[in-house]
Amino acid sequence: AVVSTISKKDDLVIGISTFGRSRSVVEGIKRASKNGTPTIAITGFSNTLMEKYATYTLKVVASQTKTSSFEPSCETTAMIALIDCLYMMYIVKHEEVVKRMFERSNIAIEEEKVK
Protein backbone atom coordinates (compact mmCIF):
# COMPACT_ATOMS: atom_id res chain seq x y z
CA ALA A 1 0.00 0.00 0.00
CA VAL A 2 2.91 2.36 0.67
CA VAL A 3 4.10 2.03 -2.93
CA SER A 4 0.82 3.57 -4.07
CA THR A 5 1.96 6.91 -2.64
CA ILE A 6 4.65 7.17 -5.35
CA SER A 7 2.75 5.53 -8.21
CA LYS A 8 2.58 7.38 -11.52
CA LYS A 9 0.35 7.44 -14.61
CA ASP A 10 2.44 4.80 -16.39
CA ASP A 11 2.31 2.37 -13.44
CA LEU A 12 -0.44 -0.07 -12.52
CA VAL A 13 -1.62 -0.77 -8.99
CA ILE A 14 -3.55 -3.96 -8.28
CA GLY A 15 -5.54 -4.36 -5.07
CA ILE A 16 -6.61 -7.83 -3.96
CA SER A 17 -9.22 -8.40 -1.29
CA THR A 18 -11.87 -11.13 -1.18
CA PHE A 19 -14.46 -8.90 0.50
CA GLY A 20 -13.09 -5.63 -0.93
CA ARG A 21 -12.88 -4.00 2.46
CA SER A 22 -9.32 -4.56 3.69
CA ARG A 23 -8.33 -1.08 4.84
CA SER A 24 -4.74 -1.10 3.61
CA VAL A 25 -5.80 -2.40 0.19
CA VAL A 26 -8.64 0.11 -0.16
CA GLU A 27 -6.38 2.98 0.91
CA GLY A 28 -3.68 1.86 -1.53
CA ILE A 29 -6.13 1.85 -4.43
CA LYS A 30 -7.50 5.22 -3.30
CA ARG A 31 -4.01 6.82 -3.11
CA ALA A 32 -2.96 5.42 -6.47
CA SER A 33 -6.15 6.72 -8.07
CA LYS A 34 -5.47 10.19 -6.67
CA ASN A 35 -2.05 10.02 -8.34
CA GLY A 36 -3.70 9.26 -11.70
CA THR A 37 -2.41 5.69 -11.65
CA PRO A 38 -4.64 3.08 -13.31
CA THR A 39 -5.86 0.54 -10.75
CA ILE A 40 -7.39 -2.91 -10.78
CA ALA A 41 -9.47 -4.24 -7.90
CA ILE A 42 -9.65 -8.01 -7.65
CA THR A 43 -12.45 -9.12 -5.36
CA GLY A 44 -15.15 -11.72 -4.87
CA PHE A 45 -18.03 -9.34 -4.27
CA SER A 46 -19.89 -6.49 -5.96
CA ASN A 47 -20.32 -2.94 -4.73
CA THR A 48 -17.27 -2.98 -2.50
CA LEU A 49 -15.50 0.08 -1.16
CA MET A 50 -12.35 -0.98 -3.01
CA GLU A 51 -14.01 -0.99 -6.42
CA LYS A 52 -15.40 2.49 -5.77
CA TYR A 53 -11.86 3.83 -6.24
CA ALA A 54 -10.60 1.34 -8.85
CA THR A 55 -10.29 2.00 -12.56
CA TYR A 56 -11.22 -1.61 -13.32
CA THR A 57 -12.69 -4.40 -11.22
CA LEU A 58 -12.16 -8.12 -11.77
CA LYS A 59 -14.41 -10.43 -9.77
CA VAL A 60 -13.91 -14.06 -8.93
CA VAL A 61 -16.70 -16.41 -7.95
CA ALA A 62 -17.43 -16.09 -4.22
CA SER A 63 -18.80 -19.02 -2.26
CA GLN A 64 -19.05 -17.28 1.10
CA THR A 65 -21.29 -14.52 2.37
CA LYS A 66 -20.00 -10.98 2.70
CA THR A 67 -20.37 -11.22 6.48
CA SER A 68 -17.77 -13.98 6.82
CA SER A 69 -14.88 -13.00 9.06
CA PHE A 70 -12.18 -14.99 7.24
CA GLU A 71 -10.73 -15.11 3.75
CA PRO A 72 -11.96 -18.38 2.18
CA SER A 73 -9.32 -20.36 0.33
CA CYS A 74 -11.42 -21.06 -2.77
CA GLU A 75 -11.66 -17.35 -3.57
CA THR A 76 -7.96 -16.92 -2.84
CA THR A 77 -7.13 -19.76 -5.23
CA ALA A 78 -9.31 -18.20 -7.93
CA MET A 79 -7.56 -14.85 -7.43
CA ILE A 80 -4.13 -16.45 -7.73
CA ALA A 81 -5.20 -18.14 -10.98
CA LEU A 82 -6.52 -14.82 -12.30
CA ILE A 83 -3.28 -13.02 -11.43
CA ASP A 84 -1.29 -15.79 -13.11
CA CYS A 85 -3.40 -15.38 -16.27
CA LEU A 86 -2.84 -11.61 -16.28
CA TYR A 87 0.89 -12.19 -15.85
CA MET A 88 0.99 -14.69 -18.73
CA MET A 89 -1.00 -12.33 -20.98
CA TYR A 90 1.52 -9.56 -20.26
CA ILE A 91 4.45 -11.85 -21.06
CA VAL A 92 2.90 -12.94 -24.35
CA LYS A 93 2.14 -9.36 -25.36
CA HIS A 94 5.57 -7.99 -24.33
CA GLU A 95 7.75 -11.01 -25.00
CA GLU A 96 10.91 -9.18 -26.09
CA VAL A 97 10.83 -6.68 -23.21
CA VAL A 98 10.21 -9.44 -20.67
CA LYS A 99 12.97 -11.57 -22.17
CA ARG A 100 15.47 -8.70 -21.74
CA MET A 101 14.30 -8.18 -18.14
CA PHE A 102 14.80 -11.86 -17.32
CA GLU A 103 18.23 -11.83 -18.93
CA ARG A 104 19.27 -8.77 -16.90
CA SER A 105 17.89 -10.35 -13.73
CA ASN A 106 19.80 -13.58 -14.38
CA ILE A 107 23.03 -11.66 -14.93
CA ALA A 108 22.52 -9.77 -11.66
CA ILE A 109 21.82 -13.01 -9.80
CA GLU A 110 24.99 -14.58 -11.19
CA GLU A 111 27.02 -11.52 -10.21
CA GLU A 112 25.70 -11.71 -6.65
CA LYS A 113 26.70 -15.37 -6.13
CA VAL A 114 29.68 -15.96 -3.90
CA LYS A 115 32.42 -17.67 -5.85
Side-chain angles (χ1 to χ4, degrees), residues 88-104:
M88 293 307 296
M89 288 171 55
Y90 181 86
I91 286 176
V92 168
K93 186 172 180 177
H94 304 282
E95 184 177 356
E96 287 305 313
V97 172
V98 171
K99 184 178 177 183
R100 286 193 303 274
M101 292 165 119
F102 277 123
E103 288 171 355
R104 288 190 351 226

Side-chain angles (χ1 to χ4, degrees), residues 78-94:
M79 288 178 185
I80 291 168
L82 177 60
I83 292 165
D84 193 47
C85 289
L86 292 171
Y87 175 71
M88 293 307 296
M89 288 171 55
Y90 181 86
I91 286 176
V92 168
K93 186 172 180 177
H94 304 282

Side-chain angles (χ1 to χ4, degrees), residues 28-59:
I29 291 283
K30 190 176 179 179
R31 279 191 297 271
S33 295
K34 284 182 181 177
N35 291 343
T37 306
T39 58
I40 298 175
I42 300 178
T43 184
F45 292 90
S46 297
N47 303 315
T48 66
L49 185 59
M50 181 173 65
E51 72 179 301
K52 175 182 173 183
Y53 301 106
T55 311
Y56 304 100
T57 301
L58 301 175
K59 295 180 184 131

Side-chain angles (χ1 to χ4, degrees), residues 18-19 43-45 60-68 70-76 78:
T18 298
F19 299 109
T43 184
F45 292 90
V60 299
V61 176
S63 64
Q64 302 292 321
T65 63
K66 201 168 186 176
T67 58
S68 295
F70 62 94
E71 298 275 325
S73 62
C74 57
E75 282 88 348
T76 303

Side-chain angles (χ1 to χ4, degrees), residues 99-113 115:
K99 184 178 177 183
R100 286 193 303 274
M101 292 165 119
F102 277 123
E103 288 171 355
R104 288 190 351 226
S105 296
N106 286 335
I107 290 168
I109 289 168
E110 287 300 317
E111 289 174 352
E112 292 294 320
K113 287 183 180 178
K115 296 181 184 194

